[in-house]
Short mmCIF file of all heavy atoms in Angstrom, two decimals:
data_model
loop_
_atom_site.label_atom_id
_atom_site.label_comp_id
_atom_site.label_asym_id
_atom_site.label_seq_id
_atom_site.Cartn_x
_atom_site.Cartn_y
_atom_site.Cartn_z
N GLN A 57 -3.62 -2.39 -26.88
CA GLN A 57 -4.63 -1.63 -26.14
C GLN A 57 -4.07 -1.18 -24.80
O GLN A 57 -4.22 -0.02 -24.40
CB GLN A 57 -5.90 -2.44 -25.93
CG GLN A 57 -7.00 -1.67 -25.19
CD GLN A 57 -8.10 -2.57 -24.66
OE1 GLN A 57 -7.94 -3.79 -24.55
NE2 GLN A 57 -9.24 -1.98 -24.32
N ALA A 58 -3.42 -2.11 -24.08
CA ALA A 58 -2.85 -1.77 -22.77
C ALA A 58 -1.82 -0.66 -22.89
O ALA A 58 -1.81 0.29 -22.08
CB ALA A 58 -2.23 -3.01 -22.14
N ALA A 59 -0.95 -0.75 -23.89
CA ALA A 59 0.08 0.27 -24.07
C ALA A 59 -0.54 1.63 -24.37
O ALA A 59 -0.07 2.67 -23.87
CB ALA A 59 1.02 -0.15 -25.20
N GLY A 60 -1.59 1.63 -25.17
CA GLY A 60 -2.26 2.89 -25.50
C GLY A 60 -2.91 3.53 -24.28
O GLY A 60 -2.82 4.75 -24.08
N ILE A 61 -3.57 2.71 -23.46
CA ILE A 61 -4.20 3.24 -22.24
C ILE A 61 -3.13 3.80 -21.31
O ILE A 61 -3.28 4.89 -20.73
CB ILE A 61 -5.00 2.13 -21.54
CG1 ILE A 61 -6.20 1.70 -22.39
CG2 ILE A 61 -5.47 2.59 -20.15
CD1 ILE A 61 -6.91 0.47 -21.87
N ASP A 62 -2.02 3.06 -21.17
CA ASP A 62 -0.98 3.48 -20.24
C ASP A 62 -0.30 4.77 -20.71
O ASP A 62 0.03 5.64 -19.89
CB ASP A 62 0.06 2.36 -20.11
CG ASP A 62 0.80 2.41 -18.80
OD1 ASP A 62 0.14 2.56 -17.75
OD2 ASP A 62 2.03 2.30 -18.81
N ALA A 63 -0.12 4.91 -22.02
CA ALA A 63 0.57 6.09 -22.54
C ALA A 63 -0.33 7.32 -22.60
O ALA A 63 0.11 8.44 -22.30
CB ALA A 63 1.12 5.79 -23.94
N ASP A 64 -1.60 7.13 -22.97
CA ASP A 64 -2.49 8.26 -23.25
C ASP A 64 -3.44 8.58 -22.11
O ASP A 64 -4.14 9.61 -22.17
CB ASP A 64 -3.31 7.97 -24.52
CG ASP A 64 -2.44 7.71 -25.73
OD1 ASP A 64 -1.30 8.21 -25.76
OD2 ASP A 64 -2.90 6.99 -26.64
N HIS A 65 -3.51 7.71 -21.10
CA HIS A 65 -4.48 7.87 -20.00
C HIS A 65 -5.90 7.97 -20.53
O HIS A 65 -6.75 8.70 -20.00
CB HIS A 65 -4.14 9.08 -19.12
CG HIS A 65 -2.82 8.96 -18.43
ND1 HIS A 65 -2.58 8.06 -17.42
CD2 HIS A 65 -1.63 9.60 -18.65
CE1 HIS A 65 -1.32 8.15 -17.03
NE2 HIS A 65 -0.72 9.06 -17.76
N GLN A 66 -6.18 7.20 -21.58
CA GLN A 66 -7.52 7.10 -22.14
C GLN A 66 -7.71 5.69 -22.69
O GLN A 66 -6.76 5.05 -23.12
CB GLN A 66 -7.73 8.10 -23.29
CG GLN A 66 -7.85 9.54 -22.86
CD GLN A 66 -8.47 10.40 -23.95
OE1 GLN A 66 -8.97 9.90 -24.96
NE2 GLN A 66 -8.43 11.71 -23.75
N ASN A 67 -8.97 5.23 -22.65
CA ASN A 67 -9.33 4.00 -23.35
C ASN A 67 -10.17 4.44 -24.54
O ASN A 67 -11.39 4.55 -24.45
CB ASN A 67 -10.12 3.06 -22.44
CG ASN A 67 -10.36 1.70 -23.08
OD1 ASN A 67 -10.39 1.56 -24.30
ND2 ASN A 67 -10.56 0.68 -22.24
N ALA A 68 -9.47 4.72 -25.63
CA ALA A 68 -10.12 5.36 -26.77
C ALA A 68 -11.22 4.49 -27.38
O ALA A 68 -12.19 5.01 -27.93
CB ALA A 68 -9.08 5.69 -27.84
N ARG A 69 -11.07 3.17 -27.27
CA ARG A 69 -12.08 2.29 -27.88
C ARG A 69 -13.36 2.22 -27.06
O ARG A 69 -14.46 2.29 -27.61
CB ARG A 69 -11.50 0.89 -28.04
CG ARG A 69 -12.50 -0.10 -28.62
CD ARG A 69 -11.91 -1.48 -28.84
NE ARG A 69 -12.90 -2.39 -29.37
CZ ARG A 69 -12.70 -3.68 -29.58
NH1 ARG A 69 -11.50 -4.22 -29.33
NH2 ARG A 69 -13.67 -4.45 -30.06
N TYR A 70 -13.24 2.09 -25.75
CA TYR A 70 -14.42 1.81 -24.93
C TYR A 70 -14.93 3.01 -24.12
O TYR A 70 -16.12 3.05 -23.80
CB TYR A 70 -14.12 0.65 -23.98
CG TYR A 70 -13.97 -0.66 -24.69
CD1 TYR A 70 -12.74 -1.32 -24.73
CD2 TYR A 70 -15.04 -1.26 -25.35
CE1 TYR A 70 -12.59 -2.54 -25.39
CE2 TYR A 70 -14.90 -2.48 -26.01
CZ TYR A 70 -13.67 -3.10 -26.03
OH TYR A 70 -13.53 -4.30 -26.69
N LEU A 71 -14.06 3.94 -23.76
CA LEU A 71 -14.49 5.14 -23.02
C LEU A 71 -13.86 6.37 -23.65
O LEU A 71 -13.08 7.08 -23.00
CB LEU A 71 -14.11 5.03 -21.55
CG LEU A 71 -14.95 4.11 -20.66
CD1 LEU A 71 -14.40 4.13 -19.23
CD2 LEU A 71 -16.42 4.49 -20.66
N PRO A 72 -14.16 6.66 -24.90
CA PRO A 72 -13.54 7.81 -25.56
C PRO A 72 -13.89 9.11 -24.85
O PRO A 72 -15.01 9.31 -24.38
CB PRO A 72 -14.14 7.77 -26.97
CG PRO A 72 -15.42 6.99 -26.83
CD PRO A 72 -15.15 5.97 -25.76
N GLY A 73 -12.89 9.98 -24.73
CA GLY A 73 -13.11 11.29 -24.13
C GLY A 73 -12.97 11.32 -22.62
O GLY A 73 -13.06 12.40 -22.02
N VAL A 74 -12.75 10.17 -21.97
CA VAL A 74 -12.61 10.11 -20.52
C VAL A 74 -11.12 10.05 -20.18
O VAL A 74 -10.41 9.14 -20.62
CB VAL A 74 -13.33 8.88 -19.93
CG1 VAL A 74 -13.05 8.76 -18.44
CG2 VAL A 74 -14.82 8.95 -20.20
N THR A 75 -10.64 11.01 -19.41
CA THR A 75 -9.24 11.02 -18.98
C THR A 75 -9.11 10.17 -17.72
O THR A 75 -9.82 10.38 -16.74
CB THR A 75 -8.77 12.45 -18.70
OG1 THR A 75 -8.89 13.23 -19.90
CG2 THR A 75 -7.32 12.46 -18.24
N LEU A 76 -8.21 9.22 -17.75
CA LEU A 76 -8.05 8.29 -16.64
C LEU A 76 -7.04 8.82 -15.63
O LEU A 76 -6.09 9.52 -15.99
CB LEU A 76 -7.58 6.93 -17.18
CG LEU A 76 -8.50 6.30 -18.24
CD1 LEU A 76 -7.88 5.02 -18.77
CD2 LEU A 76 -9.89 6.04 -17.66
N PRO A 77 -7.22 8.50 -14.34
CA PRO A 77 -6.32 9.01 -13.30
C PRO A 77 -4.89 8.54 -13.49
O PRO A 77 -4.63 7.45 -14.01
CB PRO A 77 -6.91 8.44 -12.00
CG PRO A 77 -8.32 8.09 -12.34
CD PRO A 77 -8.32 7.69 -13.78
N VAL A 78 -3.95 9.35 -13.02
CA VAL A 78 -2.54 9.00 -13.17
C VAL A 78 -2.17 7.79 -12.32
O VAL A 78 -1.19 7.10 -12.59
CB VAL A 78 -1.63 10.19 -12.81
CG1 VAL A 78 -1.82 11.33 -13.80
CG2 VAL A 78 -1.91 10.66 -11.38
N GLY A 79 -2.97 7.50 -11.30
CA GLY A 79 -2.71 6.33 -10.46
C GLY A 79 -3.12 5.02 -11.08
O GLY A 79 -2.95 3.96 -10.47
N LEU A 80 -3.63 5.06 -12.29
CA LEU A 80 -4.06 3.85 -12.99
C LEU A 80 -3.00 3.48 -14.02
O LEU A 80 -2.65 4.28 -14.89
CB LEU A 80 -5.41 4.10 -13.68
CG LEU A 80 -6.16 2.92 -14.30
CD1 LEU A 80 -7.61 3.31 -14.52
CD2 LEU A 80 -5.57 2.48 -15.64
N ARG A 81 -2.47 2.27 -13.93
CA ARG A 81 -1.52 1.75 -14.90
C ARG A 81 -2.17 0.60 -15.66
O ARG A 81 -2.89 -0.20 -15.07
CB ARG A 81 -0.24 1.26 -14.21
CG ARG A 81 0.52 2.34 -13.45
CD ARG A 81 1.14 3.37 -14.38
NE ARG A 81 1.92 2.77 -15.44
CZ ARG A 81 3.19 2.35 -15.29
NH1 ARG A 81 3.80 2.45 -14.12
NH2 ARG A 81 3.85 1.83 -16.32
N ALA A 82 -1.90 0.51 -16.94
CA ALA A 82 -2.45 -0.57 -17.76
C ALA A 82 -1.33 -1.47 -18.25
O ALA A 82 -0.22 -1.01 -18.51
CB ALA A 82 -3.22 0.01 -18.95
N THR A 83 -1.66 -2.77 -18.38
CA THR A 83 -0.63 -3.74 -18.76
C THR A 83 -1.30 -4.96 -19.40
O THR A 83 -2.49 -5.21 -19.18
CB THR A 83 0.16 -4.19 -17.52
OG1 THR A 83 1.17 -5.11 -17.90
CG2 THR A 83 -0.75 -4.86 -16.49
N CYS A 84 -0.51 -5.72 -20.15
CA CYS A 84 -0.98 -7.04 -20.62
C CYS A 84 -0.22 -8.15 -19.91
O CYS A 84 -0.35 -9.32 -20.27
CB CYS A 84 -0.86 -7.16 -22.13
SG CYS A 84 0.83 -7.06 -22.76
N ASP A 85 0.57 -7.80 -18.91
CA ASP A 85 1.34 -8.75 -18.12
C ASP A 85 0.52 -9.11 -16.88
O ASP A 85 0.47 -8.34 -15.91
CB ASP A 85 2.68 -8.13 -17.73
CG ASP A 85 3.58 -9.07 -16.94
OD1 ASP A 85 3.07 -10.06 -16.37
OD2 ASP A 85 4.79 -8.82 -16.86
N LEU A 86 -0.12 -10.25 -16.90
CA LEU A 86 -1.02 -10.62 -15.81
C LEU A 86 -0.28 -10.75 -14.49
O LEU A 86 -0.78 -10.30 -13.44
CB LEU A 86 -1.73 -11.94 -16.15
CG LEU A 86 -2.72 -12.44 -15.10
CD1 LEU A 86 -3.85 -11.45 -14.88
CD2 LEU A 86 -3.27 -13.81 -15.50
N SER A 87 0.90 -11.35 -14.49
CA SER A 87 1.64 -11.53 -13.24
C SER A 87 1.94 -10.19 -12.58
O SER A 87 1.83 -10.05 -11.36
CB SER A 87 2.93 -12.30 -13.51
OG SER A 87 2.66 -13.61 -13.94
N TRP A 88 2.34 -9.20 -13.40
CA TRP A 88 2.60 -7.87 -12.84
C TRP A 88 1.32 -7.22 -12.37
O TRP A 88 1.29 -6.54 -11.33
CB TRP A 88 3.28 -6.99 -13.88
CG TRP A 88 3.70 -5.65 -13.33
CD1 TRP A 88 4.78 -5.40 -12.55
CD2 TRP A 88 3.02 -4.40 -13.51
NE1 TRP A 88 4.83 -4.05 -12.22
CE2 TRP A 88 3.75 -3.42 -12.81
CE3 TRP A 88 1.87 -4.02 -14.20
CZ2 TRP A 88 3.38 -2.08 -12.77
CZ3 TRP A 88 1.49 -2.68 -14.17
CH2 TRP A 88 2.23 -1.73 -13.45
N ALA A 89 0.23 -7.41 -13.10
CA ALA A 89 -1.04 -6.79 -12.73
C ALA A 89 -1.50 -7.24 -11.35
O ALA A 89 -2.00 -6.42 -10.56
CB ALA A 89 -2.11 -7.11 -13.77
N VAL A 90 -1.34 -8.53 -11.03
CA VAL A 90 -1.88 -9.04 -9.77
C VAL A 90 -0.84 -9.07 -8.66
O VAL A 90 -1.18 -9.40 -7.51
CB VAL A 90 -2.46 -10.46 -9.96
CG1 VAL A 90 -3.58 -10.45 -11.00
CG2 VAL A 90 -1.39 -11.48 -10.34
N GLU A 91 0.40 -8.69 -8.95
CA GLU A 91 1.46 -8.72 -7.93
C GLU A 91 1.10 -7.83 -6.75
O GLU A 91 0.87 -6.63 -6.90
CB GLU A 91 2.77 -8.25 -8.54
CG GLU A 91 3.94 -8.28 -7.57
CD GLU A 91 5.21 -7.68 -8.18
OE1 GLU A 91 5.14 -7.22 -9.35
OE2 GLU A 91 6.23 -7.66 -7.50
N GLY A 92 1.03 -8.42 -5.57
CA GLY A 92 0.74 -7.65 -4.36
C GLY A 92 -0.67 -7.13 -4.25
O GLY A 92 -0.96 -6.33 -3.35
N ALA A 93 -1.58 -7.59 -5.11
CA ALA A 93 -2.94 -7.05 -5.10
C ALA A 93 -3.72 -7.54 -3.88
O ALA A 93 -3.71 -8.72 -3.56
CB ALA A 93 -3.67 -7.45 -6.38
N GLU A 94 -4.38 -6.61 -3.23
CA GLU A 94 -5.28 -6.96 -2.12
C GLU A 94 -6.67 -7.32 -2.62
O GLU A 94 -7.41 -8.04 -1.94
CB GLU A 94 -5.36 -5.80 -1.13
CG GLU A 94 -4.02 -5.44 -0.50
CD GLU A 94 -4.14 -4.19 0.34
OE1 GLU A 94 -5.05 -4.12 1.20
OE2 GLU A 94 -3.33 -3.26 0.14
N GLN A 95 -7.02 -6.78 -3.78
CA GLN A 95 -8.28 -7.13 -4.43
C GLN A 95 -7.99 -7.40 -5.90
O GLN A 95 -7.21 -6.69 -6.53
CB GLN A 95 -9.30 -5.99 -4.31
CG GLN A 95 -9.72 -5.68 -2.88
CD GLN A 95 -10.70 -4.51 -2.79
OE1 GLN A 95 -11.23 -4.04 -3.80
NE2 GLN A 95 -10.94 -4.05 -1.58
N VAL A 96 -8.64 -8.43 -6.44
CA VAL A 96 -8.56 -8.74 -7.87
C VAL A 96 -9.98 -8.68 -8.41
O VAL A 96 -10.83 -9.51 -8.06
CB VAL A 96 -7.94 -10.12 -8.13
CG1 VAL A 96 -7.98 -10.45 -9.62
CG2 VAL A 96 -6.51 -10.17 -7.59
N TRP A 97 -10.24 -7.68 -9.26
CA TRP A 97 -11.58 -7.48 -9.82
C TRP A 97 -11.68 -8.22 -11.14
O TRP A 97 -10.83 -8.04 -12.03
CB TRP A 97 -11.84 -5.99 -10.01
CG TRP A 97 -12.10 -5.27 -8.71
CD1 TRP A 97 -11.24 -5.16 -7.66
CD2 TRP A 97 -13.28 -4.58 -8.34
NE1 TRP A 97 -11.83 -4.43 -6.65
CE2 TRP A 97 -13.08 -4.06 -7.04
CE3 TRP A 97 -14.50 -4.34 -8.98
CZ2 TRP A 97 -14.05 -3.32 -6.37
CZ3 TRP A 97 -15.46 -3.60 -8.32
CH2 TRP A 97 -15.24 -3.10 -7.02
N LEU A 98 -12.72 -9.02 -11.29
CA LEU A 98 -12.95 -9.82 -12.49
C LEU A 98 -14.01 -9.12 -13.34
O LEU A 98 -15.20 -9.10 -12.97
CB LEU A 98 -13.40 -11.22 -12.11
CG LEU A 98 -12.46 -11.98 -11.16
CD1 LEU A 98 -13.11 -13.28 -10.69
CD2 LEU A 98 -11.12 -12.25 -11.83
N VAL A 99 -13.58 -8.55 -14.47
CA VAL A 99 -14.51 -7.80 -15.32
C VAL A 99 -14.34 -8.29 -16.76
O VAL A 99 -14.27 -7.51 -17.71
CB VAL A 99 -14.29 -6.28 -15.22
CG1 VAL A 99 -15.58 -5.54 -15.59
CG2 VAL A 99 -13.87 -5.85 -13.82
N LEU A 100 -14.25 -9.60 -16.89
CA LEU A 100 -14.13 -10.26 -18.19
C LEU A 100 -15.48 -10.82 -18.61
O LEU A 100 -16.33 -11.11 -17.76
CB LEU A 100 -13.11 -11.40 -18.10
CG LEU A 100 -11.67 -10.98 -17.80
CD1 LEU A 100 -10.85 -12.19 -17.37
CD2 LEU A 100 -11.05 -10.32 -19.02
N PRO A 101 -15.72 -10.99 -19.91
CA PRO A 101 -16.97 -11.61 -20.34
C PRO A 101 -17.16 -12.98 -19.68
O PRO A 101 -16.21 -13.78 -19.60
CB PRO A 101 -16.79 -11.75 -21.86
CG PRO A 101 -15.81 -10.68 -22.23
CD PRO A 101 -14.88 -10.58 -21.06
N THR A 102 -18.35 -13.23 -19.19
CA THR A 102 -18.60 -14.46 -18.45
C THR A 102 -18.34 -15.70 -19.29
O THR A 102 -17.93 -16.74 -18.76
CB THR A 102 -20.05 -14.46 -17.93
OG1 THR A 102 -20.31 -13.21 -17.29
CG2 THR A 102 -20.25 -15.57 -16.91
N LYS A 103 -18.55 -15.60 -20.60
CA LYS A 103 -18.39 -16.79 -21.44
C LYS A 103 -16.94 -17.29 -21.47
O LYS A 103 -16.70 -18.45 -21.78
CB LYS A 103 -18.88 -16.51 -22.85
CG LYS A 103 -18.08 -15.46 -23.61
CD LYS A 103 -18.67 -15.20 -24.98
CE LYS A 103 -17.89 -14.14 -25.76
NZ LYS A 103 -18.50 -13.88 -27.08
N ILE A 104 -15.97 -16.43 -21.14
CA ILE A 104 -14.57 -16.87 -21.12
C ILE A 104 -13.98 -16.95 -19.71
O ILE A 104 -12.85 -17.40 -19.54
CB ILE A 104 -13.69 -15.94 -21.98
CG1 ILE A 104 -13.55 -14.55 -21.33
CG2 ILE A 104 -14.20 -15.84 -23.40
CD1 ILE A 104 -12.44 -13.70 -21.92
N LEU A 105 -14.76 -16.52 -18.71
CA LEU A 105 -14.18 -16.36 -17.37
C LEU A 105 -13.74 -17.68 -16.76
O LEU A 105 -12.66 -17.78 -16.17
CB LEU A 105 -15.17 -15.65 -16.46
CG LEU A 105 -14.68 -15.32 -15.05
CD1 LEU A 105 -13.40 -14.48 -15.08
CD2 LEU A 105 -15.77 -14.61 -14.26
N GLY A 106 -14.57 -18.73 -16.89
CA GLY A 106 -14.20 -20.01 -16.31
C GLY A 106 -12.90 -20.54 -16.88
O GLY A 106 -12.03 -21.00 -16.14
N GLY A 107 -12.75 -20.46 -18.20
CA GLY A 107 -11.51 -20.91 -18.83
C GLY A 107 -10.33 -20.06 -18.43
O GLY A 107 -9.22 -20.58 -18.21
#
Side-chain angles (χ1 to χ4, degrees):
Q57 181 195 18
I61 294 171
D62 206 46
D64 302 333
H65 297 291
Q66 288 197 10
N67 187 334
R69 178 177 179 185
Y70 291 113
L71 284 179
V74 175
T75 300
L76 303 176
V78 294
L80 189 163
R81 299 292 309 279
T83 182
C84 63
D85 182 340
L86 181 61
S87 295
W88 185 78
V90 301
E91 181 185 2
E94 299 173 51
Q95 296 178 11
V96 176
W97 286 61
L98 305 172
V99 204
L100 295 165
T102 311
K103 65 183 180 181
I104 69 166
L105 184 57

